[in-house]
Amino acid sequence: MHGAVDFPLLSMLVLVPAIGSLLVALSPRRRPEYAKLIATVTSVGVGAMSVWMLRAFDSHSGGFQFVSRHPWIESWGISWHLGVDGISLFLVVLTGVLFPLAIVGIDPHNDDPRRDKPYFAWLLLLEAGVMGSFVSLDLFLFFVCFEIVLVPMYFLIGGWGYEGRVGAATKFFLYTMLGSAFMLVSILATVFIASANGLGRITFDLVELAEGASFAASTGRWLFFGFAIAFAVKVPVFPLHTWLPDAHTQAPTAGSVVLAGVMLKLGTYGFLRFGLYLFPEAARWSRPLWLTLAVIGIIYGAIAATMQGDLKRLVAYSSVAHLGFIVLGTFAFTSQAITGSVMQMVNHGVSTGALFLMVGMIYERRHTRQIADLRGLQHVAPVFAAAFTVVMLSSIGVPGLNGFVGEYLILIGSFLTARWWVVVAATGVILAALYLLWAYQRVFHGEPDEENRSFPELRWKEGLVLLPFIGIIVFTGIYPKPMLERIEPAVHDLIEHVSDRTGYVEPQPAAISIDDEHGEGE
Amino acid sequence: MPEQFIAPSIDWFALSPYLVMVAGALGLLVVGALTPRWPRGLYSLVSALTATSAGVLAVFIWNDVAEMGPGTLVGGALSHDAFAQFVTIAVCAATALVALVTDAEVRGTVLEGPEIHALLLTAATGAMVMGASNDLIVLFLGLETLSLALYVLAASERTAAGQEAGMKYFILGGLASAVFLYGIALLYGGARSTNLGEIVARFQSTVALERNDSLVLAGLALLIVGLGFKVAAAPFHVWSPDVYQGAPTHVTAFMASVGKAAAFAAMLRVLVIALPFHRDDWRPVIWVLAIASLVIGSTLAVVQTDVKRMLAFSSVSHAGFLLVGVEAAGHRAGEQISGDGLESVLVYLALYSVLVVGTFSIVAVVSRHAGGSTDISVFAGLGRRRPVLALALTILLLAQAGVPLTSGFVAKWGVIQSAVAERSYAIAIIAMVSAVIAAFLYLRIMVSAWLADPSEVEPEPVPAMTGVAIALAAAVTLVVGVYPELLLGWTDAVSNFAR
């Protein structure tokens, strides 16, 4: 049994970056190069551990693995309970891989080398928080990690961002904190109500709560919405998305990569882990709302992206659309769609992370992100353009690259239970091609003018940073099986849990041809 | 018929924290007057040590209480329970920190000398008596000891703002005391006693018809108004911004920590311990006060430009959080299993006292350097000039905002937990949302410290003792934030009070 390894792998994944952050903060001020060295060693070490975990993961089990459980705040029934399953596995690995790339590969551009120290300290603290959110199986611990990531991100945007950074950072902090305010009350209410209804004692343990407690329908719905507001802000789901374009655009490149790569997934992951798992009835009941908001997000994000003159803002709005797909898949309640959602979480992290990285490179060279100022880059930097093309096509969801697998699974899986929403959402795929190809055409095609003629080609170091991204994009696109077979058992268990609780029967593809009218009912 | 006066038996060891504090105050005054000026910092050290030893004695008494169970002292005048010791420890800790900070604040002025420390220790003794009082008259004595010393301290700086603050505080505080005293008189009329134990016993033994409820209710209302003034709960908070701003910063730190802790301890004694039979009468009032304090405190804090005023309003909003805990305690006050409300309020008080003293200490350091100005602009560029000080400020402000892994989060989680456990969802949600509004204010100070261009390039000197106080406050904030069990492990006992 893999879960019985003696080495406390998950605790290390959370604690090592936190300790690294502390070490960076304590490193001598006169030797700023130590800060980067410590940050590199720590993040690469965490990345290696996460990849090792991927190898050791038992792909046939849907339950939690590498479980680690210790008492923490016993007076309140809170424990240090960590575990990973197919849903969180790849998000943990993505976090482990993305951070060293962001730390090693992206130059923070500090005018004063002494500012490297807080920069790397905040990045490592962020990594600890994100890791903690993905592996915690205790509501209190999850809340702590979910909330603590705001602080480093706030300082990263505010301290190392672009012209409108302070406003964007404040907006980001307050928006997310507002969502969390409801979640905190909801977490407490869940725990107390659960202890009164069936559980008999106060515990914040997710598994015990999900398996042992039962809520009256109306209670469960209130509680679910308390959680859902926090996740919906984080994702972000359509009307709550307004913090995202600002935060993304103003954040430094590493901040944008991490924000798009893993932080937005805290929301979608939260929906799966804490929404569907804890409150299956409420999640089923509120399905039409989320499907509708998801589809609005897909179309709205795509249209808004088309209109942007700022390349970074365009990518930011494309995130709104892509995350709409993930929410759509989540609330479609079929194994295929949810598996697709989990895949899409990882794929979006890779492709959008890479897009932000490349936009950052363009800004570094030209000191502008305006599409109108750029043209003909393909002539002067063909390799750069080629790399951009691969990443862009992955973001569009072209078959053969990773973006296709997730989106296709979501659409085909949702078609059984949310047909008309899928019909609308599918146009989002076309719109994605429209805004990205159009932007590509304006930036890379044509004759370069005077200013763009000196655009430098992709450097070796930049290429090395991009290589893992492109490798994952191509590998997953061609051979998604290793990923799918690790995700599926956990998703299957989740659907089964929902079925047990709500009597919902997952429609099988064969059944719909006979009885398509009732295909989506219970 | 003349009764013979029987002197109550006195357990001197149980009274030792008060005796140490009073002896320290008197010693400072007498010895200080007879000897030439002491070497610098010694007055502060002596008063900090006095407060610390009183706190340590309280820990020993805590152990006694844990072994022998709670009781009363001096003929039922004072309680001998974990509640009282907890308040004493919190008050002593905050007083010791304030004493350390005071040194640099008064050095080189006419105030340098033993008097200010004697006043601090006296005020702290009053606060300790309030937390331990088992009789309304004793409670009033403690309140006046604390308040009279604080009036003098608030006006101790000979500036126009300081004098105005002192005057305002004196007049409004005097009014509040009068209202409170009138409340005691009416309650005495209804319950025939000022002793908390006898009041409860009377309610238990008489049927509702025989009680003089209207007098009790009128007294209760006046008591709540008086206590509302002292804790600075909206709408009785209007004195606090002016006084907090005008008073010398170390005195403001004392008011916000010890003053608030004592007033809340008194509120718990009066409402939860003495009047649980009227819990359904006072709980809605507390509910309204809590929401008013939360909303008014956090929204008005956001629009201020002076850091001390901001923190004054933020302390109103913290009072709102504490009232959420009092409200939660009100649901099952007087029952066998009474919930966590009382405990959560005391934990909040202890943690908030430490972090508010730390915050004001940093304000004191920065504003001294800027010639006394406490405008938010003087914090600009603090991160460049004094990164470690700015980091400490950030930790303390994040704690005030209730960010996880700080003690402020533990405090907030505790009161919200006890409110949710009593199904007071509305008040819990309003509290959390107003915490988000208040977070904007802490972010503003942090933005100024880290992200704004420096208005001043010369780094401010951090006096050694102030530095120690700030470091201690920040350390407590982080340690309790990461491992709350250190504190929570032994606070369960506080709900086992005596009356």
Side-chain angles (χ1 to χ4, degrees):
Chain A
M1 179 66 203
H2 290 82
V5 225
D6 289 335
F7 185 63
L9 185 66
L10 295 182
S11 301
M12 295 299 275
L13 285 179
V14 181
L15 293 179
V16 167
I19 294 167
S21 163
L22 203 65
L23 286 179
V24 171
L26 294 175
S27 69
R29 223 205 302 182
R30 301 246 174 84
R31 305 293 296 274
E33 64 273 19
Y34 283 2
K36 183 158 188 179
L37 184 70
I38 299 170
T40 308
V41 170
T42 314
S43 61
V44 170
V46 173
M49 281 194 283
S50 69
V51 172
W52 184 79
M53 181 185 76
L54 183 62
R55 277 186 52 81
F57 188 84
D58 176 8
S59 56
H60 301 294
S61 151
F64 291 106
Q65 304 184 28
F66 306 101
V67 174
S68 142
R69 191 167 185 184
H70 305 282
W72 184 19
I73 311 175
E74 281 170 274
S75 328
W76 288 344
I78 291 164
S79 58
W80 174 268
H81 188 189
L82 309 176
V84 68
D85 68 353
I87 294 174
S88 52
L89 173 70
F90 288 97
L91 292 168
V92 172
V93 177
L94 180 66
T95 310
V97 172
L98 216 51
F99 270 91
L101 291 173
I103 285 170
V104 179
I106 302 169
D107 188 10
H109 291 288
N110 285 324
D111 42 350
D112 178 358
R114 280 182 308 180
R115 293 192 70 215
D116 276 5
K117 204 174 102 171
Y119 175 82
F120 289 119
W122 287 131
L123 264 178
L124 287 177
L125 186 62
L126 184 61
E127 179 169 19
V130 174
M131 278 286 186
S133 310
F134 285 139
V135 297
S136 57
L137 296 179
D138 182 280
L139 294 183
F140 180 88
L141 182 58
F142 173 76
F143 184 84
V144 166
C145 294
F146 189 82
E147 186 90 338
I148 200 76
V149 293
L150 296 185
V151 177
M153 203 57 190
Y154 169 79
F155 280 103
L156 282 172
I157 298 177
W160 286 268
Y162 298 105
E163 53 292 333
R165 57 184 184 268
V166 173
T170 307
K171 199 169 172 185
F172 161 77
F173 193 100
L174 294 180
Y175 248 80
T176 321
M177 197 176 171
L178 183 69
S180 309
F182 291 97
M183 182 161 75
L184 185 141
V185 176
S186 210
I187 286 178
L188 284 166
T190 305
V191 168
F192 285 110
I193 293 172
S195 110
N197 296 327
L199 216 54
R201 66 204 158 80
I202 304 284
T203 175
F204 286 81
D205 192 289
L206 171 69
V207 182
E208 282 181 49
L209 286 170
E211 304 295 337
S214 59
F215 303 102
S218 63
T219 316
R221 289 169 191 173
W222 279 108
L223 296 175
F224 171 72
F225 270 93
F227 280 85
I229 290 175
F231 299 142
V233 170
K234 200 82 165 187
V235 170
V237 170
F238 165 64
L240 305 171
H241 67 279
T242 52
W243 63 270
L244 178 130
D246 287 337
H248 267 319
T249 315
Q250 301 302 334
T253 304
S256 306
V257 170
V258 170
L259 197 56
V262 287
M263 269 183 74
L264 300 184
K265 277 64 183 193
L266 292 180
T268 48
Y269 169 76
F271 269 122
L272 279 174
R273 177 70 83 228
F274 298 91
L276 268 58
Y277 187 45
L278 264 181
F279 309 104
E281 195 279 337
R284 286 280 307 153
W285 172 76
S286 60
R287 213 170 65 100
L289 171 71
W290 299 110
L291 292 174
T292 309
L293 291 179
V295 169
I296 295 177
I298 293 171
I299 303 297
Y300 169 85
I303 293 173
T306 319
M307 300 298 141
Q308 297 306 315
D310 181 325
L311 206 50
K312 211 170 175 187
R313 251 186 129 73
L314 184 148
V315 180
Y317 273 107
S318 83
S319 281
V320 176
H322 280 126
L323 285 149
F325 277 105
I326 301 177
V327 175
L328 175 71
T330 302
F331 284 94
F333 286 92
T334 63
S335 302
Q336 259 180 330
I338 294 181
T339 307
S341 284
V342 176
M343 283 223 55
Q344 180 72 356
M345 285 187 216
V346 180
N347 292 336
H348 172 262
V350 174
S351 58
T352 308
L355 274 180
F356 274 121
L357 191 62
M358 300 204 74
V359 173
M361 291 173 186
I362 293 177
Y363 183 81
E364 228 170 84
R365 290 163 157 79
R366 290 280 290 104
H367 295 285
T368 178
R369 297 183 306 259
Q370 295 302 318
I371 296 174
D373 295 342
L374 303 162
R375 55 183 292 140
L377 300 186
Q378 198 173 343
H379 285 269
V380 285
V383 181
F384 189 93
F388 195 92
T389 310
V390 175
V391 173
M392 176 192 68
L393 290 177
S394 139
S395 184
I396 293 173
V398 167
L401 298 177
N402 67 344
F404 175 74
V405 188
E407 242 166 55
Y408 180 74
L409 278 173
I410 291 172
L411 290 177
I412 201 167
S414 309
F415 193 74
L416 298 174
T417 54
R419 177 166 310 171
W420 293 107
W421 282 288
V422 171
V423 170
V424 185
T427 59
V429 181
I430 301 162
L431 287 171
L434 172 73
Y435 61 77
L436 276 171
L437 289 175
W438 192 36
Y440 182 85
Q441 187 188 354
R442 284 179 290 167
V443 172
F444 285 91
H445 288 181
E447 276 301 315
D449 54 19
E450 207 45 53
E451 280 170 327
N452 288 313
R453 212 179 295 283
S454 55
F455 190 85
E457 180 54 291
L458 195 69
R459 298 187 191 94
W460 268 110
K461 193 187 153 196
E462 294 169 340
L464 282 178
V465 175
L466 275 175
L467 205 59
F469 285 99
I470 292 178
I472 297 173
I473 286 173
V474 176
F475 179 81
T476 320
I478 295 171
Y479 190 54
K481 184 164 164 272
M483 225 175 135
L484 289 175
E485 68 186 13
R486 281 170 178 77
I487 297 173
E488 261 164 0
V491 171
H492 181 78
D493 283 10
L494 179 63
I495 294 275
E496 210 154 70
H497 177 80
V498 174
S499 304
D500 283 353
R501 290 311 167 92
T502 60
Y504 157 76
V505 183
E506 188 191 353
Q508 295 306 315
I512 53 154
S513 55
I514 312 161
D515 195 12
D516 58 4
E517 276 305 300
H518 306 289
E520 36 178 302
E522 257 88 333
Chain B
M1 47 188 151
E3 278 180 52
Q4 197 177 357
F5 176 75
I6 304 163
S9 71
I10 292 173
D11 177 356
W12 292 103
F13 177 64
L15 294 177
S16 58
Y18 312 99
L19 298 176
V20 166
M21 293 294 264
V22 172
L26 289 177
L28 271 170
L29 271 185
V30 175
V31 180
L34 296 177
T35 51
R37 174 147 296 178
W38 295 4
R40 50 186 241 176
L42 197 57
Y43 297 120
S44 279
L45 272 182
V46 169
S47 84
L49 278 178
T50 308
T52 313
S53 38
V56 171
L57 284 169
V59 174
F60 286 117
I61 298 171
W62 176 295
N63 288 336
D64 279 4
V65 173
E67 274 171 37
M68 331 248 251
T72 57
L73 299 170
V74 212
L78 288 173
S79 311
H80 182 56
D81 53 13
F83 181 119
Q85 306 319 316
F86 189 84
V87 175
T88 300
I89 294 167
V91 164
C92 287
T95 309
L97 291 178
V98 172
L100 289 177
V101 178
T102 304
D103 174 53
E105 292 304 300
V106 297
R107 183 175 303 160
T109 67
V110 287
L111 295 172
E112 189 172 0
E115 297 83 3
I116 206 145
H117 292 288
L119 282 170
L120 277 178
L121 293 178
T122 313
T125 316
M128 286 154 55
V129 170
M130 284 170 78
S133 57
N134 191 39
D135 191 294
L136 292 173
I137 299 295
V138 176
L139 176 56
F140 184 72
L141 287 177
L143 180 69
E144 284 306 279
T145 312
L146 169 68
S147 303
L148 286 171
L150 266 181
Y151 301 144
V152 182
L153 283 169
S156 62
E157 219 162 61
R158 298 267 168 90
T159 58
Q163 300 297 306
E164 187 196 328
M167 198 62 184
K168 232 173 216 170
Y169 193 32
F170 177 60
I171 292 175
L172 290 173
L175 179 70
S177 295
V179 169
F180 186 77
L181 192 58
Y182 195 25
I184 295 178
L186 291 178
L187 187 59
Y188 176 72
R192 311 281 166 76
S193 175
T194 56
N195 185 288
L196 304 195
E198 284 170 23
I199 292 174
V200 173
R202 194 173 167 76
F203 278 115
Q204 266 164 343
S205 60
T206 47
V207 274
L209 286 175
E210 289 177 27
R211 283 189 225 144
N212 196 341
D213 264 356
S214 53
L215 273 180
V216 172
L217 288 178
L220 175 62
L222 292 178
L223 286 175
I224 291 178
V225 171
L227 290 168
F229 258 95
K230 295 293 174 189
V231 302
F236 311 116
H237 69 285
V238 282
W239 59 272
S240 76
D242 291 344
V243 175
Y244 275 40
Q245 187 185 12
T249 310
H250 53 280
V251 176
T252 312
F254 190 80
M255 269 190 246
S257 56
V258 175
K260 193 152 278 193
F264 265 104
M267 183 180 265
L268 290 174
R269 287 269 180 208
V270 171
L271 297 181
V272 181
I273 298 180
L275 295 169
F277 290 89
H278 281 284
R279 65 184 189 198
D280 292 337
D281 298 314
W282 57 256
R283 204 166 47 74
V285 181
I286 297 296
W287 195 91
V288 172
L289 290 185
I291 286 181
S293 307
L294 286 164
V295 173
I296 293 175
S298 51
T299 44
L300 290 187
V302 168
V303 296
Q304 305 300 321
T305 55
D306 183 282
V307 170
K308 269 165 95 177
R309 272 188 101 78
M310 283 181 184
L311 291 174
F313 279 109
S314 108
S315 123
V316 172
S317 123
H318 281 289
F321 260 99
L322 285 155
L323 288 169
V324 170
V326 177
E327 200 266 351
H331 279 268
R332 280 184 286 163
E335 288 175 24
Q336 257 327 288
I337 303 162
S338 55
D340 293 333
L342 193 109
E343 184 193 335
S344 74
V345 173
L346 287 178
V347 169
Y348 198 117
L349 279 177
L351 296 175
Y352 176 68
S353 297
V354 171
L355 66 99
V356 82
V357 173
T359 317
F360 275 115
S361 308
I362 296 175
V363 174
V365 168
V366 175
S367 83
R368 259 177 87 67
H369 185 60
S373 162
T374 49
D375 192 83
I376 189 162
S377 63
V378 306
F379 285 78
L382 184 67
R384 299 263 172 89
R385 299 197 296 272
R386 286 266 170 216
V388 177
L389 192 66
L391 187 66
L393 178 68
T394 307
I395 292 170
L396 293 166
L397 288 178
L398 287 174
Q400 295 222 25
V403 170
L405 302 185
T406 63
S407 63
F409 178 67
V410 175
K412 286 210 164 91
W413 181 276
V415 290
I416 298 296
Q417 171 166 288
S418 53
V420 171
E422 303 300 343
R423 313 215 154 182
S424 301
Y425 301 124
I427 200 172
I429 288 173
I430 292 170
M432 287 316 296
V433 170
S434 75
V436 178
I437 302 172
F440 181 64
L441 131 92
Y442 306 119
L443 287 183
R444 272 183 66 196
I445 305 178
M446 280 190 271
V447 164
S448 181
W450 289 105
L451 310 175
D453 286 326
S455 55
E456 168 77 58
V457 277
E458 193 71 15
E460 34 274 278
V462 182
M465 283 207 271
T466 310
V468 169
I470 295 171
L472 282 174
V476 168
T477 304
L478 279 182
V479 169
V480 174
V482 173
Y483 197 65
E485 196 63 22
L486 280 179
L487 182 67
L488 300 171
W490 47 279
T491 50
D492 283 339
V494 295
S495 49
N496 185 14
F497 44 78
R499 57 189 165 208

